[in-house]
Amino acid sequence: MKGKILVTGGAGYIGSHTAVELQNAGYEVIIIDDLSNSTADSIDGIKRITGKKPIFEKLDCNDLESLKRLFKKYVGIQGIIHFAASKAVGESVQKPLLYYRNNLNSLINLLDLMPKYKIPNIVFSSSCTVYGEPDTNPIDESAPIKPAESPYGNTKQINEEIITDVVRAGLPLKSIILRYFNPIGAHPTAEIGELPNGVPQNLVPYITQTAIGVREQLSIFGDDYNTPDGSCIRDFINVVDLAKAHVVAIDRMIENKSNDKVEIFNLGTGNGVSVLELVKTFEKVTGKKLNYKIVGRRQGDIEKIWADPVKANTILGWKAKENIEDTMLSAWNWQLKLREKGIM
Ligand code: UD1
């Protein structure tokens, strides 16, 4: 058995998939989650996949005293993977203070306590949103950071800076910052997946909910972009592939393989796929006709962005493996499972 890893937000979409991969790799997983945007069913899903239930404590990372109690209870944590955050872009524009309070405080609390409880490593969930509209694609980690389009995006940028400043100040900490492109799909067992609260803001849950009849019609936001088919282009990365990168990142820090105390990696496939291509792929693999219409652009959307993942490929030795067809099928199988359980 390898060491203990704390996964904040581990009941959520990416966190639950990462907990599975950590357990598969032999780590002991402790999940904390306030269940504000997830349910404890994902904890059972992790058990159904791996045969082992991770330790779970319902806890908000903004609650410093509860965090202290947690670190006293579970000694010898080797690393933290910090997913817990509010993540709805639109809501962040309406409620900026909620986002700044939640997303900044939780990281500050962890960084504050880590040296005191001798926890040396933290992996931080960042986003390609920090690049804004790229000047060129694919985009690598040396590209300039652009002014954030939303308070949510700003919290990612500020948190990257907080980590860098804290490590530079000489505290005994190391960090790997992972900039995700667009995570999609679900675990191939359909035991865990994405479960958005209310009307989905992201494309793939909207597609699957439309196909199953929960939503009447998918709106495609714009077909007049400067792209081959006029719709936006993204780098859609399979969530299991993404989860595996976290295990490699944690291994790297624990084994002291990193040269720098803060390292940043893009996590993407390196391929740009348009919104319309993704819809067509969904129709092809499921045999279902999707009811969609083209509407106006969504404010704040990036025209096209896809990753240069060479740094993660070479230094982490990680590469996205799943293809877009299987990934879309996994998203659909997850939606079918939710229907079977009467959840959606
Ligand atoms: C969004 C966030 C990004 C965040 C990411 C997390 C914005 C501007 N960016 O990325 O900061 O890190 O989610 O997952 O919100 N689309 C439709 N119809 C829909 C939904 C989406 O056409 O109903 C299109 C969008 O216009 C976009 C693409 O699908 O071109 C992907 O959208 P989405 O899944 O929301 O992700 P991003 O906007 O790339």
Side-chain angles (χ1 to χ4, degrees):
M1 177 63 98
K2 291 186 183 174
K4 290 191 194 103
I5 305 296
L6 177 69
V7 181
T8 77
Y13 175 43
I14 308 173
S16 58
H17 287 82
T18 299
V20 165
E21 297 307 322
L22 285 166
Q23 292 201 160
N24 284 344
Y27 284 107
E28 188 179 346
V29 174
I30 302 164
I31 288 177
I32 57 173
D33 201 303
D34 67 358
L35 302 182
S36 60
N37 194 20
S38 57
T39 70
D41 188 50
S42 55
I43 309 291
D44 297 328
I46 296 166
K47 165 141 194 259
R48 290 192 292 271
I49 297 168
T50 63
K52 186 174 179 226
K53 194 162 184 167
I55 296 166
F56 171 63
E57 303 266 357
K58 185 170 181 293
L59 194 157
D60 181 351
C61 289
N62 283 296
D63 179 351
L64 190 68
E65 294 310 312
S66 294
L67 273 182
K68 283 183 191 165
R69 277 196 294 277
L70 180 93
F71 291 141
K72 281 184 192 137
K73 184 168 170 189
Y74 301 102
V75 286
I77 293 173
Q78 289 190 312
I80 298 177
I81 307 184
H82 182 43
F83 294 104
S86 303
K87 62 169 187 179
V89 177
E91 185 188 46
S92 81
V93 177
Q94 304 301 321
K95 301 175 185 168
L97 287 180
L98 177 80
Y99 274 67
Y100 287 117
R101 186 175 283 138
N102 268 353
N103 294 3
L104 304 188
N105 258 351
S106 57
L107 177 71
I108 291 169
N109 283 347
L110 292 171
L111 293 174
D112 187 17
L113 296 179
M114 285 172 70
K116 292 176 190 147
Y117 292 91
K118 303 200 170 6
I119 305 170
N121 304 308
I122 183 163
V123 174
F124 176 65
S125 289
S126 190
S127 165
C128 67
T129 192
V130 302
Y131 297 122
E133 183 77 58
D135 301 324
T136 53
N137 279 297
I139 189 156
D140 72 24
E141 295 82 352
S142 66
I145 301 299
K146 299 272 176 71
E149 290 275 354
S150 69
Y152 159 79
N154 208 17
T155 65
K156 292 293 177 195
Q157 295 194 7
I158 296 170
N159 276 343
E160 287 197 4
E161 289 171 359
I162 290 175
I163 289 173
T164 309
D165 288 345
V166 167
V167 169
R168 270 202 205 123
L171 285 164
L173 290 173
K174 278 187 299 183
S175 181
I176 290 185
I177 292 170
L178 299 175
R179 291 180 179 157
Y180 312 150
F181 282 66
N182 286 56
I184 63 165
H187 198 270
T189 59
E191 294 289 359
I192 52 173
E194 190 172 10
L195 186 55
N197 251 344
V199 182
Q201 305 300 309
N202 295 116
L203 180 59
V204 171
Y206 213 107
I207 290 177
T208 59
Q209 288 191 15
T210 304
I212 209 153
V214 177
R215 310 281 154 209
E216 204 185 313
Q217 189 172 50
L218 168 76
S219 295
I220 293 188
F221 300 132
D223 68 348
D224 56 351
Y225 284 99
N226 182 24
T227 59
D229 65 22
S231 66
C232 292
I233 294 180
R234 295 289 183 273
D235 186 333
F236 297 101
I237 163 102
N238 180 287
V239 67
V240 176
D241 275 337
L242 189 78
K244 287 179 177 163
H246 295 74
V247 180
V248 181
I250 275 288
D251 284 345
R252 178 174 174 80
M253 285 195 287
I254 289 176
E255 291 163 16
N256 268 317
K257 284 191 191 149
S258 40
N259 304 319
D260 299 317
K261 296 188 87 184
V262 181
E263 292 183 303
I264 300 180
F265 296 98
N266 281 345
L267 296 182
T269 66
N271 298 317
V273 171
S274 79
V275 171
L276 282 167
E277 282 170 337
L278 197 72
V279 166
K280 291 201 179 98
T281 303
F282 178 82
E283 292 186 325
K284 191 178 91 188
V285 298
T286 61
K288 289 188 79 73
K289 187 89 197 73
L290 199 68
N291 180 20
Y292 70 86
K293 68 164 187 248
I294 311 287
V295 301
R297 294 180 176 195
R298 179 170 74 177
Q299 202 202 336
D301 265 342
I302 302 301
E303 181 171 270
K304 45 181 178 281
I305 182 164
W306 63 94
D308 178 340
V310 167
K311 189 176 173 196
N313 297 163
T314 52
I315 296 180
L316 288 181
W318 167 90
K319 202 173 186 332
K321 292 203 174 77
E322 300 298 331
N323 62 49
I324 201 88
E325 284 83 10
D326 290 345
T327 302
M328 289 308 281
L329 200 53
S330 72
W332 179 235
N333 287 335
W334 165 244
Q335 186 69 65
L336 290 173
K337 185 56 123 355
L338 289 175
R339 171 55 54 91
E340 195 184 299
K341 288 181 173 171
I343 296 172
M344 192 143 290

